[in-house]
Amino acid sequence: MKRLMTGILTFGFIASAPLFAEMKPKEAFEYMKEILKGEWKLSPKEKQIGTTGAHEHPAVKRLLGTDKTGVAYKIIARDSVLQEDLLPNTMKQMVTMYHCDDFKECNELLATHYCAKRNQPSFIFNTKESSKKRLVFECDTERSEVCDSDEAHVHRIILELSDNNNHLKSSYIVWKDSERATQHSIYHFDRK
């Protein structure tokens, strides 16, 4: 993504502000397929910073700091879907499917999260808040009734990359009773 520095003359002084072009859905999808594919291991406990303790769940805790796969990304359906398999082979296993609304045009980047909460919220890529280091998906109220319900559901997905794209913080922000909950599924992963 291009970063432009601009000087703005305002009331006799110059202000410098970084401007970022919005990340377009097709660009984001191609980038996600390239940068996320493969297997990631759950980072050790001391690297699980800024979480609400989801890594302490008995089904997840046994993966901490091991070489077992904590999340895997695979390109399927003739390059049209990125499958995220979160916490495979555990009782907390969840799958998110990322895809374009139309493979050729890709006007919108969408996702469906198949949750351990036994619901399937739909998401839409947030072009304004996303960058190559922080990919944000919002619950899509147009496509998914659970987004407007009182039912506990993942309402926001944030994928943050660091350490030369070898570290991933995955945040599944939960809403319940139409407001942000206090417990979320937030995990840190390191590339295998």
Side-chain angles (χ1 to χ4, degrees):
M1 180 172 302
K2 291 183 181 177
R3 179 177 175 164
L4 304 172
M5 294 300 290
T6 61
I8 304 168
L9 184 59
T10 311
F11 302 107
F13 66 90
I14 296 177
S16 245
L19 297 176
F20 295 92
E22 285 182 13
M23 188 177 234
K24 303 293 184 217
K26 186 160 185 79
E27 173 193 4
F29 186 51
E30 294 304 319
Y31 177 72
M32 287 176 69
K33 289 190 295 185
E34 174 189 330
I35 208 69
L36 293 173
K37 72 179 173 185
E39 295 183 358
W40 300 71
K41 58 186 179 178
L42 199 60
S43 303
K45 183 177 181 174
E46 61 271 10
K47 288 177 84 175
Q48 298 293 332
I49 300 166
T51 70
T52 59
H55 63 281
E56 293 290 345
H57 188 282
V60 179
K61 195 174 187 175
R62 63 185 174 83
L63 299 175
L64 284 172
T66 70
D67 279 334
K68 292 182 180 175
T69 300
V71 66
Y73 290 91
K74 180 167 67 171
I75 301 164
I76 61 171
R78 291 184 54 207
D79 202 36
S80 65
V81 176
L82 178 64
Q83 175 185 293
E84 173 192 83
D85 190 358
L86 178 65
L87 306 170
N89 303 312
T90 72
M91 67 181 288
K92 298 282 285 177
Q93 182 174 11
M94 295 173 267
V95 172
T96 305
M97 304 297 252
Y98 298 94
H99 59 92
C100 290
D101 60 335
D102 175 88
F103 183 69
K104 290 182 181 174
E105 296 299 319
C106 198
N107 296 311
E108 295 179 319
L109 178 53
L110 307 173
T112 302
H113 176 71
Y114 298 89
C115 193
K117 296 181 184 313
R118 298 181 177 168
N119 55 31
Q120 300 84 35
S122 296
F123 293 85
I124 188 163
F125 182 67
N126 183 325
T127 58
K128 295 190 185 326
E129 288 189 37
S130 294
S131 69
K132 288 191 174 183
K133 295 296 178 193
R134 187 172 190 265
L135 302 157
V136 180
F137 289 82
E138 305 287 348
C139 211
D140 188 349
T141 56
E142 297 294 318
R143 292 180 176 91
S144 186
E145 288 181 16
V146 73
C147 294
D148 279 335
S149 75
D150 289 338
E151 181 179 349
H153 65 278
V154 174
H155 199 78
R156 194 169 217 229
I157 298 173
I158 305 168
L159 305 174
E160 296 173 274
L161 291 149
S162 61
D163 190 23
N164 288 328
N165 299 325
N166 289 310
H167 184 80
L168 173 66
K169 179 181 180 185
S170 298
S171 302
Y172 305 87
I173 307 303
V174 176
W175 280 48
K176 183 170 176 23
D177 299 324
S178 300
E179 61 185 38
R180 186 179 165 122
T182 56
Q183 293 292 312
H184 309 286
S185 293
I186 302 172
Y187 306 100
H188 288 265
F189 301 98
D190 295 302
R191 194 181 297 278
K192 284 178 93 171

